[in-house]
């Protein structure tokens, strides 16, 4: 069958993900949808997937998508007549260490908050559910009764049949050779069977997705790795219908099927594959055996499940699967090219994720915006450099193994580091900084004390679920900010300049707050969608009549730049430019900040001369820059924006001042612990495109009744008015544990009057307040329930299975009247 000359949407890739997208677009009523597969359906990675179907993922929405996938596969057979082999035989995860058991207990508490059925089980209960398993050294485990397994090929074929039933055309044996585009928008594809113009193109190319993205000028950071498993011959005496078994401390998973065991591995040091490209004739292929690589996993498995010792090996399989730099898949509209969508890099969870991923991507294409908070997997979190092949080869050598590694809080990647550094990075390293990575940026997370640096100690993490080795160091930094003055390097801030005579009018539509302010004024605001939910959380500084600076977190720079560009009308004289690397940001914060800085800056820093929420050009040392009087820690202070070439000099000037005045070098952990005491929101945790700006407690930053400009009214204004009129259905609250011992991270369950009602969106330790602090949404019990009525309840937080009483507040527990920032 010849390919059509035009389609509304072209989907590239006939694996389980591509077929799921085709199915869901057809279900939404899209016509003229074409799926192209270079060889045959499932022939890349899908055909050799293990087919494990789990519900619980790291966040609520990833769990929602996994649960949707289960429900979809459960009903596909009845809809299409194609058996999927899906069965709910449950799953067990075994812990061999106390640290792993702590992780599982925290995961179980999180699962309950997400509505996933889960039970903690003892070693004896593990043995009874999995006869023949050695559990003498097990600490415990968890049991998820609704997990299961399925046949990946049949799931794909069922989705494909369902898609065809909805009118989708599926063409096998058609290779895409190019992507066409015009004026920043995709216009179609070229193939070896003819060209197709298209309104939308979806890259679901699996391990080919990076190369397909390259054709379009879109960065798709993923790389194939070798993935190993064996399938035994039939094992007499093997219990039928065993649950899926995971023993992450031994890097192994077990799947029983038809009286055989599939034993797979996520080994710590993996083997990247395809560095020089994937062979043209690759189809249902396996890679060369490497028994030496797999042998340590098998040896431990035989000890764990002694029946394996006498089992013959029917198949030793080595097949490629694609992995991303952060072990999360890639989904959404590419920021480089309008209407070019990506769904790839599923990190060995493609079968359990494909149903949900296909559903939300189809809805995203239908409505023009993500239907739920998908920031975990949003393609805009990725940086262009991450598609570099050398970088990917180094990083994915680690990420495959991290699937089964201990998921300690604050765990940092060890590979492919040092790519992006601020101009003062080497100074901070010399001062004992321990660096973490965000969006490729090396950022100081904490500092060794000066005495430890002089003693030759190395700043390095020692991971644990308890108080880690840096806890006391970060506490000292936190208290220095509260009591004296601290210095943060925030050069990784995303910095977007919007320039042009229509810049103000454009921002008046995009921003929730009023940006028609005098030059030098700083405006805290959100970008909202039409539902009044939060798409970005930024500050906007007016630098000139026709020039604004939008400052955003490092992780969201591409997302926010993309949002701004999408909403600049074609006839507007306004241009958005990423200026992130042009300036460093040195942040001086604390009640003594003015006293510390004033001798270095000739401009007056007194309140009457330099008000909170304003910016001024300054001189400092022999350099020039700008000082912005804002704060993310809740203290008096200034952010110093310094040209990159002068940043080293300014840092030296600040450090020389230490001879006369105390100054603590502070890391990002202290920044976060300070901000959570002040109940400042964190985008991606506390606020997202599913959270209404009023329910997030940010109504003070919204001016929905500001004048309508030449490009229309503020996006989301009607939804804000409606919510103000109808009342809130939930509120973001701050919690402080009454016991100073336990630690909070995020996703811990919240109980109200003994009833599970939600989970913490973020958590950290409040060193000034003297206990762990969390933020989380609490739903109203009834329409019109007031904040005071919510406060009258009693609250507890589930910390690894232990219920801990908590104080609760709507106002910040630290400095609720914001007196500190105006000292």
């Amino acid at each position: 069958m010849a390919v059509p000359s035009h389609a509304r949407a072209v989907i590239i890739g006939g694996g389980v993900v591509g077929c799921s997208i085709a199915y869901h677009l057809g279900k939404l009523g899209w016509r003229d949808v074409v799926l192209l597969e270079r060889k045959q359906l499932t022939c890349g990675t899908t055909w050799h997937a293990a087919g494990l179907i789990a519900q619980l993922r790291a966040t609520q929405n990833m769990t929602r998508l996994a649960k949707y996938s289960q429900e979809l596969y459960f009903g596909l057979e009845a809809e299409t007549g194609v058996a999927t082999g899906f069965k709910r035989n449950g799953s067990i995860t075994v812990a061999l260490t106390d640290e792993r058991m702590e992780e599982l207990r925290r995961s179980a508490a999180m699962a309950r908050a997400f509505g996933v059925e889960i039970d903690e089980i003892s070693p004896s209960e593990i043995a009874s559910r999995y006869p023949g398993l050695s559990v003498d050294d097990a600490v415990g485990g968890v049991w998820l009764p609704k997990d299961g397994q399925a046949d990946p090929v049949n799931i794909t074929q069922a989705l494909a049949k369902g898609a065809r039933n909805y009118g989708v055309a599926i063409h096998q044996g058609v290779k895409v050779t190019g992507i066409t585009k015009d004026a920043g928008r995709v216009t179609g594809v070229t193939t070896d069977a003819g060209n197709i113009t298209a309104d939308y193109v979806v890259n679901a190319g699996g391990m080919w997705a990076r190369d397909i993205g390259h054709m379009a000028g879109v960065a798709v950071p993923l790389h194939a790795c070798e993935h190993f498993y064996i399938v035994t011959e039939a094992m007499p005496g093997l219990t039928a219908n065993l649950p899926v078994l995971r023993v992450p401390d031994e890097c192994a998973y077990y799947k029983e099927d038809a009286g055989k065991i599939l034993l797979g591995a996520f080994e710590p040091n993996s083997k990247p594959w395809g560095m020089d490209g994937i062979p043209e004739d690759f189809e249902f292929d396996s890679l060369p055996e490497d028994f030496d690589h797999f042998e340590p996993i098998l040896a431990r498995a035989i000890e764990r499940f002694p029946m394996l010792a006498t089992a013959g090996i029917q198949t030793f399989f080595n097949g490629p699967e694609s992995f991303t730099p952060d072990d999360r898949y890639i989904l959404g509209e590419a920021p480089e090219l309008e209407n070019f969508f990506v769904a790839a890099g599923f990190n060995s969870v493609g079968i359990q994720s494909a149903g949900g991923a296909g559903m939300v991507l189809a809805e995203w294409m239908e409505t023009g915006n993500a239907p739920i908070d998908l920031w975990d997997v949003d393609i805009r979190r990725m940086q262009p450099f991450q598609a570099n092949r050398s970088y990917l080869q180094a990083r994915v050598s680690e990420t495959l193994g991290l699937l089964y590694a201990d998921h300690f809080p604050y765990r940092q990647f060890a590979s492919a580091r040092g790519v992006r550094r601020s101009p003062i990075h080497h100074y901070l390293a010399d001062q004992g900084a321990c660096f973490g990575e965000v969006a490729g940026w090396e950022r100081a997370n904490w500092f060794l004390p000066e005495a430890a640096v002089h003693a030759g100690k190395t700043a390095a993490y020692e991971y644990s679920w308890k108080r880690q080795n840096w806890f006391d160091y970060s506490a000292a930094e936190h208290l220095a900010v509260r009591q004296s003055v601290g210095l943060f390097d925030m050069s990784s801030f995303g910095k977007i300049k919007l320039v042009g005579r229509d810049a103000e009018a454009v921002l008046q539509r995009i921003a929730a707050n009023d940006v028609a302010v005098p030059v030098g004024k700083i405006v805290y605001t959100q970008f909202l969608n039409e539902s009044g939910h939060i798409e970005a959380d930024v500050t906007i500084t007016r630098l000139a009549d026709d020039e604004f600076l939008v400052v955003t977190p490092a992780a969201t720079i591409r997302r926010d730049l993309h949002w701004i560009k999408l909403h600049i009308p074609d006839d507007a004289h306004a241009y958005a430019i990423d200026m992130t690397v042009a300036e460093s940001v040195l942040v001086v914060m604390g009640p003594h900040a003015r006293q510390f800085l004033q001798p270095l800056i000739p401009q007056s820093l007194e309140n009457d001369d330099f008000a909170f929420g304003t910016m001024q050009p300054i001189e400092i040392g022999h350099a020039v820059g700008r000082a912005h009087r804002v704060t993310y820690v809740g203290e008096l202070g200034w952010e110093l924006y310094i040209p990159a070439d002068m940043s080293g000099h300014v840092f030296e000037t600040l450090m020389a001042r230490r001879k006369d005045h105390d100054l603590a070098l502070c890391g990002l952990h202290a920044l976060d612990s300070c901000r959570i005491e002040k109940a400042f929101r964190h985008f991606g945790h506390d606020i997202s495109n599913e959270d209404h700006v009023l329910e997030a407690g940010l109504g003070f930053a919204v001016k929905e009744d500001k004048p309508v400009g030449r490009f229309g009214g503020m996006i989301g204004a009607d939804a804000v008015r409606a919510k103000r009129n109808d009342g809130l259905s939930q509120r973001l609250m701050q919690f402080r544990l009454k016991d100073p011992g336990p630690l909070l991270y995020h996703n811990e369950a919240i109980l109200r009057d003994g009833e599970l009602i939600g989970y913490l969106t973020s958590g950290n330790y409040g060193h000034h307040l003297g206990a762990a602090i969390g933020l989380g949404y609490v739903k109203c019990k009834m329409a019109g329930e007031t904040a005071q009525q919510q406060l009258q309840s009693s609250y507890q937080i589930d910390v690894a299975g232990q219920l801990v009483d908590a104080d609760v507040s709507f106002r910040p527990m630290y400095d609720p009247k914001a007196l500190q920032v105006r000292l």
Side-chain angles (χ1 to χ4, degrees):
M1 183 187 299
V3 298
S5 60
H6 177 78
R8 185 178 181 190
V10 171
I11 301 165
I12 307 170
V16 66
V17 176
C19 289
S20 176
I21 296 164
Y23 170 85
H24 285 95
L25 284 175
K27 193 172 184 178
L28 285 174
W30 282 44
R31 299 296 173 256
D32 302 322
V33 175
V34 174
L35 184 147
L36 304 177
E37 165 54 48
R38 59 183 286 277
K39 296 291 186 180
Q40 299 179 60
L41 298 184
T42 79
C43 73
T45 296
T46 298
W47 73 276
H48 61 73
L52 310 184
I53 310 292
Q55 296 182 83
L56 182 61
R57 305 300 302 157
T59 63
Q60 183 188 39
N61 280 348
M62 294 302 100
T63 299
R64 284 167 66 182
L65 298 191
K67 290 175 70 177
Y68 173 86
S69 295
Q70 270 206 10
E71 293 159 4
L72 173 68
Y73 302 158
F74 195 74
L76 266 180
E77 183 171 346
E79 177 183 344
T80 66
V82 178
T84 62
F86 177 67
K87 61 178 181 178
R88 282 185 169 140
N89 51 326
S91 77
I92 296 171
T93 301
V94 178
L96 303 182
T97 68
D98 291 335
E99 291 280 19
R100 180 73 72 176
M101 197 64 223
E102 170 87 359
E103 178 183 328
L104 294 185
R105 287 183 175 127
R106 286 180 175 268
S107 294
M110 179 180 74
R112 287 187 282 270
F114 295 168
V116 174
E117 188 176 339
I118 190 170
D119 294 303
E120 181 180 338
I121 55 177
S122 67
S124 61
E125 290 172 307
I126 295 170
S128 67
R129 295 181 187 275
Y130 210 98
L133 193 72
S134 174
V135 296
D136 292 346
D137 58 343
V139 177
V142 291
W143 160 248
L144 288 95
K146 292 187 178 179
D147 280 1
Q149 59 195 58
D151 183 324
V153 171
N154 280 8
I155 286 176
T156 307
Q157 295 293 352
L159 289 167
K161 184 173 182 181
R164 290 188 183 101
N165 290 343
Y166 286 121
V168 174
I170 296 177
H171 295 265
Q172 302 182 73
V174 177
K175 180 182 178 181
V176 172
T177 56
I179 308 293
T180 59
K181 51 188 176 179
D182 181 61
R185 179 188 290 239
V186 72
T187 59
V189 300
T190 60
T191 82
D192 58 5
N195 300 338
I196 307 174
T197 61
D199 302 319
Y200 297 84
V201 173
V202 182
N203 176 3
M207 55 189 167
W208 290 270
R210 178 192 172 278
D211 296 332
I212 295 168
H214 184 70
M215 294 178 193
V218 170
V220 183
L222 56 80
H223 199 296
C225 283
E226 300 183 26
H227 181 52
F228 299 87
Y229 61 72
I230 64 166
V231 179
T232 69
E233 295 175 345
M235 297 171 59
L238 183 68
T239 302
N241 205 37
L242 285 171
V244 172
L245 174 69
R246 297 177 179 87
V247 188
D249 295 308
E250 295 177 341
C251 310
Y253 62 88
Y254 302 70
K255 170 190 170 184
E256 182 274 328
D257 190 24
K260 306 172 185 179
I261 288 288
L262 182 154
L263 169 68
F266 291 107
E267 66 278 16
N269 298 306
S270 65
K271 299 178 64 179
W273 177 79
M275 282 73 73
D276 298 323
I278 301 171
E280 181 64 29
D281 60 353
F282 191 93
E283 180 184 11
F284 295 113
D285 285 346
S286 60
L287 304 180
E289 294 183 4
D290 187 347
F291 191 78
D292 289 342
H293 187 79
F294 188 77
E295 195 278 332
I297 306 293
L298 179 58
R300 288 193 293 268
I302 289 172
E303 293 181 8
R304 180 66 49 202
F305 194 48
M307 288 181 68
L308 289 173
T310 56
I313 296 177
Q314 180 185 80
T315 304
F316 184 100
F317 188 81
N318 176 13
E321 298 190 10
S322 56
F323 287 80
T324 64
D326 60 4
D327 266 341
R328 291 178 276 141
Y329 54 88
I330 299 171
L331 203 67
E333 185 179 21
E336 301 96 329
L337 187 61
E338 189 174 350
N339 285 357
F340 184 85
F341 285 78
V342 179
F346 279 80
N347 305 288
S348 285
V349 295
I351 306 303
Q352 63 183 274
S353 304
M359 179 267 291
V360 292
L361 193 75
E363 291 188 17
W364 193 334
M365 295 169 67
E366 170 82 358
T367 66
N369 201 23
I372 62 174
D373 175 20
L374 294 170
W375 181 237
D376 284 331
V377 295
D378 194 314
I379 188 173
R380 292 170 294 181
R381 79 188 187 278
M382 293 293 183
Q383 305 302 308
F385 85 88
Q386 291 180 301
N388 174 289
R389 283 172 290 190
S390 173
Y391 167 87
L392 286 169
Q393 181 181 351
R395 175 54 65 85
V396 300
S397 299
E398 178 185 12
T399 55
L400 180 147
L402 289 178
L403 291 175
Y404 275 14
D406 286 284
H407 299 100
F408 289 120
Y410 308 106
R411 181 158 187 161
Q412 303 295 322
F413 291 105
S415 59
R417 293 289 299 271
V419 181
R420 307 178 77 186
R421 309 180 195 184
S422 90
I424 65 166
H425 177 274
H426 61 292
Y427 290 106
L428 302 181
D430 290 343
Q431 294 288 330
C434 184
F435 294 96
E437 179 204 14
V438 170
W441 283 100
E442 295 293 329
R443 310 195 304 179
N445 279 347
W446 53 273
F447 287 83
L448 279 174
E450 190 173 350
V453 175
H454 290 160
K457 290 189 177 180
T458 300
Y461 281 91
E462 296 173 11
Y463 295 116
S464 169
W465 283 95
K466 309 301 181 184
R467 300 186 180 198
Q468 296 183 13
N469 61 311
W470 51 267
F471 184 88
D472 290 339
Y473 305 152
S474 190
E477 297 167 19
H478 181 118
L479 295 176
V481 173
R482 290 283 182 253
Q483 299 167 6
S484 180
V485 62
L487 171 65
F488 301 87
D489 177 17
M490 296 304 299
S491 300
S492 60
F493 271 161
K495 309 170 196 76
I496 302 167
K497 276 192 177 178
L498 190 69
V499 297
R501 62 175 177 267
D502 292 329
E504 178 188 298
V506 169
L507 282 175
Q508 282 291 74
R509 173 161 170 73
I510 296 174
N513 212 334
D514 188 352
V515 300
V517 295
V519 172
K521 181 66 176 173
I522 303 171
V523 178
Y524 171 60
T525 188
Q526 290 73 44
F527 299 162
L528 307 182
N529 56 37
E530 293 291 358
S531 300
H533 298 159
I534 300 167
E535 294 288 347
D537 186 61
V538 302
T539 62
I540 300 177
T541 304
R542 188 163 205 159
L543 301 178
D545 287 342
D546 60 352
E547 183 178 356
F548 293 81
L549 178 70
V550 181
V551 177
T552 185
T556 58
I557 175 66
R558 298 192 81 209
R559 176 192 180 112
D560 298 344
L561 181 62
H562 181 234
W563 185 266
I564 291 170
K565 288 184 174 180
L566 280 178
H567 292 91
I568 297 177
D570 292 341
D571 60 343
H573 187 271
Y575 308 91
I577 310 163
D578 183 357
M579 301 295 292
T580 298
V581 299
E583 294 179 318
S584 297
V585 184
L586 306 181
V587 178
V588 179
M589 291 284 154
H592 298 167
R594 182 182 291 111
Q595 180 183 347
F596 178 86
L597 281 174
Q598 189 64 92
L600 307 176
I601 298 173
Q603 291 76 22
S604 172
L605 300 179
E606 295 299 325
N607 276 317
D608 290 343
D609 303 312
F610 204 140
F612 179 75
T614 64
M615 171 280 297
Q616 292 184 28
I618 60 163
E619 300 170 13
I620 181 167
H622 302 317
V624 294
R626 296 187 317 277
H628 295 222
R629 190 174 169 189
V630 289
T631 182
Y632 193 52
V633 297
E635 300 292 344
L636 170 71
W638 285 264
E639 296 174 355
L640 306 179
Y641 287 72
I642 310 297
D645 57 338
M646 302 180 189
S647 302
H649 166 72
V650 172
F651 182 78
E652 291 168 352
T653 301
L654 294 171
M655 295 302 286
R657 172 74 171 130
R658 291 179 88 186
K659 298 175 183 176
D660 306 313
H661 195 292
D662 288 340
L663 175 72
L665 292 177
C666 301
L668 273 293
H669 292 338
L671 183 90
D672 189 65
S673 60
C674 285
R675 74 91 191 167
I676 205 166
E677 283 191 331
K678 188 63 176 147
F680 287 150
R681 280 58 168 154
H682 184 292
F683 186 87
H685 280 276
D686 310 309
I687 50 179
S688 74
N689 70 330
E690 278 194 89
D691 300 312
H692 196 283
V693 66
L694 300 187
E695 294 179 340
L698 297 172
F700 67 91
V702 181
K703 303 295 186 291
E704 68 272 19
D705 292 326
K706 61 187 175 181
V708 174
R710 59 172 294 208
F711 300 118
M714 176 195 114
I715 298 171
D718 289 343
V720 172
R721 293 188 192 99
K723 181 65 72 173
R724 288 197 197 274
N725 181 66
D726 298 341
L728 308 184
S729 58
Q730 62 179 0
R731 293 180 176 89
L732 188 66
M733 301 173 69
Q734 186 183 35
F735 300 84
R736 175 177 57 191
L737 298 186
K738 294 184 178 181
D739 181 347
L743 301 179
L744 298 175
Y745 301 113
H746 65 278
N747 287 339
E748 292 88 354
I750 303 169
L751 288 85
R752 179 182 181 184
D753 297 328
E755 179 185 355
L756 180 63
I757 52 90
Y759 61 94
L760 295 182
T761 52
S762 63
N764 205 324
Y765 202 85
H767 298 287
H768 177 84
L769 295 177
I773 309 296
L775 297 178
Y777 288 90
V778 175
K779 288 182 171 57
C780 299
K781 285 187 175 180
M782 63 197 79
E785 185 178 37
T786 67
Q788 286 304 313
Q789 288 173 319
Q790 286 181 300
L791 289 173
Q792 290 168 5
S793 294
S794 62
Y795 291 88
Q796 294 173 304
I797 308 298
D798 186 336
V799 183
Q802 300 298 312
L803 300 185
V804 183
D805 293 337
D807 296 319
V808 65
S809 177
F810 289 108
R811 303 186 70 189
M813 293 183 182
Y814 177 74
D815 189 24
K817 296 183 178 180
L819 301 178
Q820 289 297 113
V821 301
R822 293 177 170 83
L823 285 177

